[in-house]
Amino acid sequence: MASIEEWYKQMPVITRSYLTLSFLTTASCALEIISPFSVYFNARLIFRKMQIWRLFTNFFFFGHMGLDFLFHMFFLARYCRLLEEGSFRGRTADFFYMLVFGGSLLTAIAPFVNIQFLGSSLTFMMVYVWGRRNQHVNMSFLGLFNFNAPWLPWVLLLFSVMLGSSPVVDLLGMGAGHMYYFLEDVYPRISGRRWLKTPNVLLALFPREETVHIPGAGENQFRGRVIG
């Protein structure tokens, strides 16, 4: 138990907070402390009944507490942490703003695709952004075949479809991830301008930290990772 406690305490603040809220929300629904019907996304209830909390709580529910739940918690904890400790190291405000941007984009699309819970899509967005920013990382799926990190969301999408799941949730996350990657990493290079600027209120809430770059660290430490 001590090792689990250390693992939890060593998580960066945004990853730890999101994982905790997701576990508590899903567990509370499983124990019937609250109902999934009180946390799902419903535009009519949000804007006509002023149930504003649904804008946020739908990102914290991940279905029944089974293998699928563990699968989503693993990817949430892993890739949220890799981003926060990797390309967003020392820039917690920027990372939080990325989640706000992705969550807002997914929320705007949700009424048109009839999706009530967007946590899986937001997780997929993080997987997509991490993959694009670590293009030379080699990965393996169940030891069956190797691929580079940018293909990871596509591999997971194919695996999900093979298991009978709808691809819409994953595709939404990939779309949000691509939009963020383009506006944050691609567009500034070709135009010299940045559209995505972290609000000052977030910078005040999460002050930037000085970081030290260690040659050889970073993406190379993730080479040869096995999925599954």
Side-chain angles (χ1 to χ4, degrees):
M1 293 298 293
S3 60
I4 296 178
E5 182 179 357
E6 291 177 5
W7 169 79
Y8 178 77
K9 289 183 177 180
Q10 289 174 358
M11 284 185 176
V13 59
I14 300 300
T15 300
R16 184 170 64 247
S17 299
Y18 193 13
L19 184 68
T20 301
L21 288 171
S22 298
F23 177 81
L24 291 177
T25 301
T26 306
S28 296
C29 290
L31 296 173
E32 298 185 353
I33 298 175
I34 60 176
S35 169
F37 293 105
S38 65
V39 299
Y40 78 99
F41 179 85
N42 184 304
R44 182 180 62 83
L45 293 177
I46 292 171
F47 297 108
R48 293 187 180 180
K49 302 293 185 179
M50 298 304 295
Q51 297 182 6
I52 306 299
W53 67 85
R54 294 179 183 272
L55 286 171
F56 311 101
T57 55
N58 77 90
F59 287 98
F60 303 133
F61 179 74
F62 284 84
H64 299 290
M65 296 193 72
L67 288 178
D68 187 62
F69 171 74
L70 294 177
F71 177 81
H72 282 97
M73 289 300 97
F74 168 78
F75 277 92
L76 171 59
R78 176 172 172 75
Y79 291 99
C80 190
R81 182 173 184 173
L82 287 179
L83 277 176
E84 193 171 358
E85 292 183 339
S87 58
F88 287 98
R89 178 179 291 274
R91 299 190 299 125
T92 302
D94 295 336
F95 181 60
F96 186 71
Y97 185 56
M98 184 199 77
L99 297 182
V100 171
F101 171 83
S104 300
L105 190 59
L106 293 170
T107 298
I109 299 174
F112 302 100
V113 292
N114 194 31
I115 291 181
Q116 287 76 39
F117 300 103
L118 295 168
S120 296
S121 295
L122 190 62
T123 301
F124 231 78
M125 173 190 173
M126 289 185 276
V127 172
Y128 183 91
V129 172
W130 179 83
R132 294 305 298 263
R133 289 186 168 180
N134 295 272
Q135 298 188 21
H136 302 293
V137 175
N138 298 316
M139 311 191 78
S140 174
F141 183 74
L142 300 175
L144 299 177
F145 59 90
N146 299 322
F147 56 92
N148 289 337
W151 290 100
L152 175 60
W154 296 100
V155 171
L156 295 176
L157 173 64
L158 178 61
F159 182 67
S160 179
V161 171
M162 290 174 60
L163 293 178
S165 300
S166 170
V168 175
V169 171
D170 297 345
L171 286 172
L172 280 180
M174 292 168 65
H178 185 75
M179 181 66 71
Y180 177 83
Y181 174 75
F182 176 80
L183 292 177
E184 179 67 13
D185 293 10
V186 178
Y187 183 76
R189 290 201 302 265
I190 62 179
S191 69
R193 297 190 300 270
R194 290 190 64 203
W195 280 9
L196 297 180
K197 295 182 180 180
T198 304
N200 290 331
V201 63
L202 293 182
L203 293 173
L205 186 61
F206 303 107
R208 290 183 176 175
E209 303 172 4
E210 293 293 332
T211 59
V212 178
H213 175 70
I214 302 176
E219 66 180 28
N220 289 330
Q221 65 183 304
F222 305 119
R223 292 188 183 277
R225 289 291 185 179
V226 177
I227 304 301

